[in-house]
Amino acid sequence: MKSTERKDRKINLYLSLLLPFGIAAFAWSVWHFPVHQINSSLIVLSIFTVFFSSYLRIQLPRTKIHLTVSDALIFLSLLTYGGEVAVLLAILETAFTSLNLRRQGVAIKYKTIVINVLIAAVSGLVTAIVVQTVFGTPDKIVAGFGSTSFLLALTVMALSQFLLNSISVAAFVSVMSESTMWKVWYENCLNALVLYVSGAAVAGVSAWALTQINFALFAAVTGFFALIYMTYSRYVNDVKTAAALAEEAERTRADESENHILELKQYVSELEKSGEALRISREKFRYAAYHDALTGLPNRNYFIGTLEDLLEKRKRGPEHTFALVFLDLNRFRTINDSLGHSMGDHLIRRVAKRLSAMTGEGDLIGHFGGDEFAFILHGVGDAGSATAFAEQVVKGIAEPFRFKSRHVYTSVSVGIALCGLEHSKAQEILRDADMAMYHAKDNGERYCIFDKEMHTSAVSQQQMETDLRYAIVCNELEIFYQPIIDLDKMFLSGFEALVRWNHPRRGLMSPTDFIPLSEETGLVIPMTLQILRSACNQIVDWQSRIPDSKSMYVSVNLSGKHFGHDALVEQIQTILDETKIDPSCLKLEITEGVVMENAENAISMLQQIRGLGVRLSVDDFGTGYSSLSYLHRFPLDTLKVDRSFVTMMEDGGENAEIVHTIISLAQTLKLSVIAEGIENIFQLNQLRILGCEYGQGYLFSRPVPVAEIEKMLVDKFRWTNILTPSIHGVPSTTSDYSQLSISQ
C-alpha cells in the first residue's frame, strides 16, 4: 500500500513539473498559429495525422509504448507550416491516440493520457525552437534540400524529438515500474531512434517534393516510409511470435524429450539400414538432376552451377575469363510438324553429337531442352575467339543430317555473351546470351555478340508493354478524328478515328510508336474494342447534339490480328447494342494484305460483319496483291487509295495511272473511293477530274481532337473556299500548289 502511495506521489510530482511547460507550449502555439496558411492541404494533413496515424502503430516489445507514423507527419508539418502547427498536431494526435487505445481496452489512465499530451507538447515546442533558432524558418530549411545544412537540420530535428520524447517517457515508465530510467531508456526506447531518423528523412524529402510539386517523388518517399514501417512492424511481430513459440517449446520440451530421444534413436537406426541403398542411388539421382535425358548432356541446372563457380573465380582476377555461347535451331518446329516428334528427337541427338565433337578441351556443352544448346568456352575473353567458334558451329550444323534415305537440313542462330564484371549471377549472363541469340534470329544474322543496348532495348520494350496495358485500363488512349470530305460538293462526309497515346512521360505518341507492339503482344484487340466503343459513342453524341449530323459516319481501322479473332463479330454486335449507333454510320477498314492473306476465310468473316449492317472498306488499296477474282466477291463498300500513290501524282507517269485505274475499278464494282494523303490543290483537282468521290489529308485537316471536330461540324462547308484562290480551279504553277496547301 505504501509502495502504491509513493508511486502516486512521484507521478503527481512528475505531472506538476510538466504541466506549466505543456500549457506554455499550447499557449505559444495558439498565439502564434499561422492562420493565413490554412488551406485544404493543411486540413488533409491534420485529419490524417490526428485520426488515422494512430491505426498505423507498433507496440514496442515488453512495454506499453506505441510508436506511430505520426512522427513523420509531425516533422512534415513542422517543415511545411512551422512549429506552431506541429505542436498543435502533436497535442491533438497524442490525445486522440491515447483515448483510442483506452477505448480499445488498453489499460491507460487519464492521468497518463495527460502526461503523454504534455510530453508531446513540450518536446514539439523545444524541437521547433531549436530547429528555427539554429537553421531559420522552414522554407529556408527546405530550400537547402540536399545540402549539409539541410541534412544537419533533419538530424537535429530527429535527435531533439527522440531525446526529449524518449527521456520523458523513460522517466515516466521508470516511475511506474520502479526501474532505473537508464535501463528503461536503453531497453525500450533506444530502438525508436531509427523511426525518428527515418521519419525526419521522409518528412524532409516529402516537404521538398511538395514544394517542387513533384508528386512522383512524394509518392516514392511515401512508399519508402511505408516499407520501413512494415519491416519494423514485422520485426516486432516476429519478436512477439518468437517469444511465444519459445515459451511454448520450453513447456513441451520437458514432456517430450524422452519420446524424442527414442524416436531419434529409431530414426538413426533406420538411416543406417538404408544408408547403403542411398549411396548406391545417390549418383543416379544426381546424374538425372543435372543431365538431359534425351542427349545425356549437362542440363540447365548443371550449367547454372558451373557458371556460378566461374563467376566466383572471375572475382579473384581478370585471368579467369570465359564466354557463354547460346544457340537455337531455326525452323525446328517445322521439322517436328512435318517429320514427327520422333524424327525431331533423333535430330536433336545428332545435333548434340555433332556439337560435342566441336567442344574443346576444358569447355562444356549442355542441352537446355527443346532445340536450345549452350557452350562455356574457358579462357575466351575476346570477341574474335568467340565469333570464330560461332562460325565453326554455324558451318558444322549447316551440313545435312542423313536419316536413311532422307537428308534433313537445319541452321542455327547463335548468341554470345562475354563474361564481364557486370555479371554477378549465372542467370544474368544466361539472359544476355539468350538475348543476343534472339537478336540474331530476329535480324536474320548467323550470330550476335551481346551489348548493353540490347538489354536496354529489352527493358524499354517491356516497360512500354506494361505502360500500354496500363494505358488501356486507365483510358490514356485518346481518339483523334480526321475529316473525310465529299470532293464534289466539298463538304464534310465523315471521319476516320485514329488513336493517339497520351503517355504520362513521353507525351502524345503516334500510332507508329506503339501499334506494332500492341499487335505483337495481342493488346491490339482490347485497344481496338476501346477505340471502336469510344468512336461509336462520339458519333452518337454528335448526331444527337449537332443539327444535320445524322448522316455522319466514322471509320475505324481493324488490325489483321483482330480480324482473325473468333469473337470479332460478337464483339462488334455488343458494341453496336451498347452504343445504340446506326450500324450504317460505322465503317470498318481492313488492309488489302489482310483480306488477301486467306481470301476464303476473309470472305466469310466480311459477310458476317456486313450482316450486322456495318459498312466495310479496304485500306491501302493498290499496295498489295489483290486478285480480281476475289475482289468482286468481297462484300465491300469502299476502296481507299493509298497515300503513296496520291503523293506521287504530281510526278505524273504510272502513279497517276494507278489512281485512275483504282477509281475506274471501284466504279465498275459499284464501290465508293476515298483518296488518302491529299496535301495540295493539284492533287485535289486531279482526283476531282478522275471522279474520286471522297478524300482526306492535311489539305483539309490533320487528325484533331474532339473539340476541333465539333467546330467543323458547325461549318461543314468550310472547305469550299479551298478552290477559290486558283484561276478556274487549277493553279498555274507548281509553286502555287504548295502555297495553297492547308494544314490544320
Side-chain angles (χ1 to χ4, degrees):
M1 186 68 178
K2 291 181 179 180
S3 175
T4 303
E5 291 177 356
R6 186 167 57 253
K7 184 187 298 184
D8 289 339
R9 284 197 299 271
K10 289 181 180 180
I11 293 173
N12 291 334
L13 177 61
Y14 185 79
L15 177 59
S16 63
L17 291 174
L18 271 178
L19 188 59
F21 295 99
I23 293 174
F26 176 78
W28 175 82
S29 303
V30 173
W31 183 259
H32 295 92
F33 187 85
V35 179
H36 64 279
Q37 292 194 40
I38 296 178
N39 55 29
S40 60
S41 298
L42 176 57
I43 293 172
V44 171
L45 176 63
S46 302
I47 292 173
F48 187 82
T49 303
V50 174
F51 297 106
F52 295 100
S53 62
S54 63
Y55 294 100
L56 301 174
R57 67 178 185 269
I58 305 172
Q59 183 178 1
L60 294 177
R62 301 184 299 279
T63 75
K64 296 180 181 179
I65 302 172
H66 290 78
L67 299 176
T68 73
V69 297
S70 60
D71 296 311
L73 298 175
I74 298 298
F75 288 148
L76 178 59
S77 65
L78 191 153
L79 292 174
T80 307
Y81 299 99
E84 298 85 355
V85 175
V87 172
L88 286 177
L89 285 182
I91 292 172
L92 294 172
E93 187 277 331
T94 304
F96 178 82
T97 300
S98 300
L99 291 171
N100 194 35
L101 289 174
R102 180 181 174 87
R103 183 181 61 81
Q104 293 175 3
V106 178
I108 179 170
K109 299 179 179 179
Y110 286 107
K111 188 181 294 184
T112 304
I113 294 175
V114 174
I115 291 174
N116 287 339
V117 172
L118 292 175
I119 290 173
V122 173
S123 62
L125 174 61
V126 173
T127 300
I129 293 174
V130 169
V131 172
Q132 188 164 351
T133 302
V134 178
F135 301 97
T137 58
D139 55 339
K140 292 182 179 179
I141 296 174
V142 176
F145 179 82
S147 65
T148 303
S149 175
F150 178 78
L151 296 177
L152 187 58
L154 295 182
T155 303
V156 170
M157 182 170 63
L159 290 177
S160 298
Q161 189 79 344
F162 165 69
L163 291 174
L164 289 166
N165 269 305
S166 62
I167 292 173
S168 301
V169 171
F172 178 68
V173 174
S174 67
V175 172
M176 298 276 294
S177 62
E178 296 185 349
S179 181
T180 63
M181 188 176 77
W182 165 253
K183 183 177 181 181
V184 173
W185 184 86
Y186 181 80
E187 292 182 353
N188 300 320
C189 298
L190 184 58
N191 289 339
L193 177 60
V194 66
L195 294 178
Y196 283 94
V197 172
S198 60
V202 172
V205 179
S206 299
W208 178 82
L210 291 173
T211 302
Q212 302 298 316
I213 320 180
N214 192 336
F215 293 103
L217 178 58
F218 180 74
V221 171
T222 303
F224 172 74
F225 183 77
L227 179 62
I228 292 178
Y229 169 80
M230 288 187 290
T231 302
Y232 191 75
S233 176
R234 184 173 181 178
Y235 162 74
V236 172
N237 291 332
D238 288 346
V239 169
K240 293 179 181 178
T241 304
L245 291 175
E247 292 175 1
E248 180 68 22
E250 195 65 29
R251 286 194 300 267
T252 58
R253 188 177 293 113
D255 298 334
E256 298 179 353
S257 58
E258 292 184 3
N259 292 335
H260 180 69
I261 291 173
L262 292 174
E263 291 175 359
L264 184 60
K265 288 181 178 179
Q266 183 178 357
Y267 179 69
V268 171
S269 177
E270 291 176 356
L271 285 178
E272 290 175 350
K273 293 178 181 178
S274 60
E276 185 63 27
L278 287 174
R279 281 191 293 272
I280 295 174
S281 61
R282 183 185 305 160
E283 289 303 320
K284 293 182 179 179
F285 281 116
R286 180 177 177 81
Y287 185 88
Y290 289 99
H291 288 77
D292 172 59
L294 180 62
T295 62
L297 295 176
N299 61 13
R300 191 183 192 91
N301 293 332
Y302 191 102
F303 250 69
I304 290 175
T306 304
L307 288 172
E308 293 288 0
D309 294 340
L310 291 174
L311 289 172
E312 284 298 322
K313 291 181 181 178
R314 173 66 176 168
K315 295 177 183 177
R316 301 171 195 164
E319 67 276 6
H320 299 286
T321 61
F322 68 92
L324 180 64
V325 178
F326 201 87
L327 61 93
D328 178 272
L329 297 182
N330 297 323
R331 299 178 67 253
F332 179 69
R333 181 177 177 179
T334 302
I335 295 174
N336 258 341
D337 292 343
S338 60
L339 302 181
H341 289 275
S342 176
M343 182 64 75
D345 289 344
H346 282 302
L347 177 62
I348 291 296
R349 283 192 286 266
R350 295 284 294 275
V351 169
K353 185 176 181 181
R354 190 174 292 185
L355 291 175
S356 298
M358 303 177 192
T359 307
E361 185 177 355
D363 295 336
L364 179 67
I365 178 177
H367 180 222
F368 283 14
D371 58 343
E372 294 180 342
F373 293 85
F375 291 89
I376 295 178
L377 306 180
H378 291 277
V380 174
D382 61 285
S385 301
T387 55
F389 179 79
E391 287 280 8
Q392 179 186 354
V393 169
V394 170
K395 292 179 180 177
I397 298 301
E399 294 293 326
F401 292 87
R402 294 177 176 84
F403 295 96
K404 296 182 179 178
S405 59
R406 182 186 297 275
H407 285 188
V408 176
Y409 292 86
T410 187
S411 61
V412 292
S413 297
V414 181
I416 302 169
L418 302 175
C419 175
L421 296 177
E422 69 274 11
H423 296 121
S424 59
K425 296 181 179 180
Q427 294 291 355
E428 293 174 355
I429 192 169
L430 276 171
R431 174 202 65 200
D432 293 349
D434 185 65
M435 198 177 299
M437 184 271 291
Y438 276 105
H439 187 274
K441 185 183 287 287
D442 293 341
N443 291 276
E445 301 174 358
R446 293 172 299 176
Y447 58 83
C448 179
I449 299 178
F450 173 81
D451 59 47
K452 293 182 179 179
E453 290 184 2
M454 293 181 190
H455 183 246
T456 302
S457 175
V459 171
S460 176
Q461 190 82 344
Q462 179 62 36
Q463 184 60 49
M464 179 73 80
E465 179 182 346
T466 302
D467 290 348
L468 185 56
R469 291 181 185 276
Y470 183 84
I472 294 172
V473 173
C474 297
N475 250 344
E476 288 180 0
L477 299 177
E478 184 174 354
I479 311 300
F480 278 38
Y481 295 88
Q482 187 173 34
I484 299 174
I485 308 301
D486 184 312
L487 299 186
D488 181 33
K489 300 177 183 178
M490 295 301 291
F491 77 94
L492 182 62
S493 176
F495 305 96
E496 180 176 1
L498 300 167
V499 65
R500 300 290 186 270
W501 182 4
N502 193 8
H503 196 281
R505 295 185 302 276
R506 304 187 184 188
L508 200 63
M509 295 177 62
S510 169
T512 56
D513 296 328
F514 62 91
I515 290 297
L517 175 63
S518 72
E519 293 185 336
E520 180 181 341
T521 58
L523 293 174
V524 70
I525 294 177
M527 183 174 69
T528 301
L529 294 176
Q530 189 177 100
I531 296 167
L532 187 58
R533 183 175 286 103
S534 297
C536 290
N537 279 323
Q538 188 61 67
I539 285 293
V540 171
D541 177 61
W542 283 333
Q543 290 176 341
S544 65
R545 290 190 297 108
I546 300 174
D548 301 326
S549 297
K550 296 294 184 182
S551 62
M552 287 293 135
Y553 68 90
V554 64
S555 292
V556 179
N557 290 287
L558 200 62
S559 76
K561 192 158 191 174
H562 199 178
F563 184 71
H565 197 270
D566 294 337
L568 174 60
V569 177
E570 182 181 349
Q571 292 167 347
I572 297 173
Q573 182 65 66
T574 299
I575 291 174
L576 293 175
D577 295 339
E578 289 177 358
T579 60
K580 308 300 183 185
I581 188 175
D582 183 348
S584 64
C585 295
L586 173 63
K587 181 181 291 186
L588 297 179
E589 297 187 7
I590 305 98
T591 60
E592 181 182 8
V594 170
V595 296
M596 291 307 304
E597 185 175 346
N598 191 328
E600 291 296 339
N601 289 341
I603 291 171
S604 174
M605 179 63 75
L606 291 172
Q607 287 174 342
Q608 293 180 62
I609 297 174
R610 185 64 180 277
L612 302 177
V614 175
R615 292 191 279 175
L616 296 169
S617 172
V618 172
D619 196 9
D620 300 335
F621 190 78
T623 60
Y625 301 95
S626 292
S627 169
L628 294 180
S629 62
Y630 280 106
L631 187 59
H632 78 279
R633 296 173 57 193
F634 292 142
L636 302 174
D637 298 280
T638 306
L639 295 182
K640 291 192 77 171
V641 182
D642 186 68
R643 66 180 64 249
S644 61
F645 299 125
V646 175
T647 302
M648 301 299 293
M649 284 180 65
E650 295 180 62
D651 298 337
E654 62 180 14
N655 288 296
E657 290 298 325
I658 290 174
V659 174
H660 185 199
T661 301
I662 294 174
I663 294 173
S664 299
L665 175 62
Q667 292 171 346
T668 301
L669 296 175
K670 300 187 182 332
L671 304 177
S672 61
V673 183
I674 300 176
E676 296 181 296
I678 303 175
E679 297 182 355
N680 58 52
I681 298 297
F682 177 85
Q683 295 167 355
L684 173 60
N685 281 308
Q686 287 295 311
L687 290 167
R688 283 161 56 90
I689 292 170
L690 293 174
C692 183
E693 298 170 85
Y694 303 97
Q696 63 186 99
Y698 286 2
L699 177 63
F700 307 117
S701 172
R702 294 175 178 271
V704 293
V706 171
E708 292 296 321
I709 292 296
E710 294 191 352
K711 296 177 183 178
M712 298 179 187
L713 287 171
V714 175
D715 181 14
K716 290 195 230 179
F717 290 90
R718 62 190 299 178
W719 293 277
T720 56
N721 62 356
I722 292 179
L723 299 175
T724 56
S726 61
I727 300 174
H728 304 298
V730 181
S732 58
T733 64
T734 305
S735 61
D736 292 333
Y737 302 143
S738 60
Q739 293 172 1
L740 293 173
S741 296
I742 296 175
S743 293
Q744 295 185 0

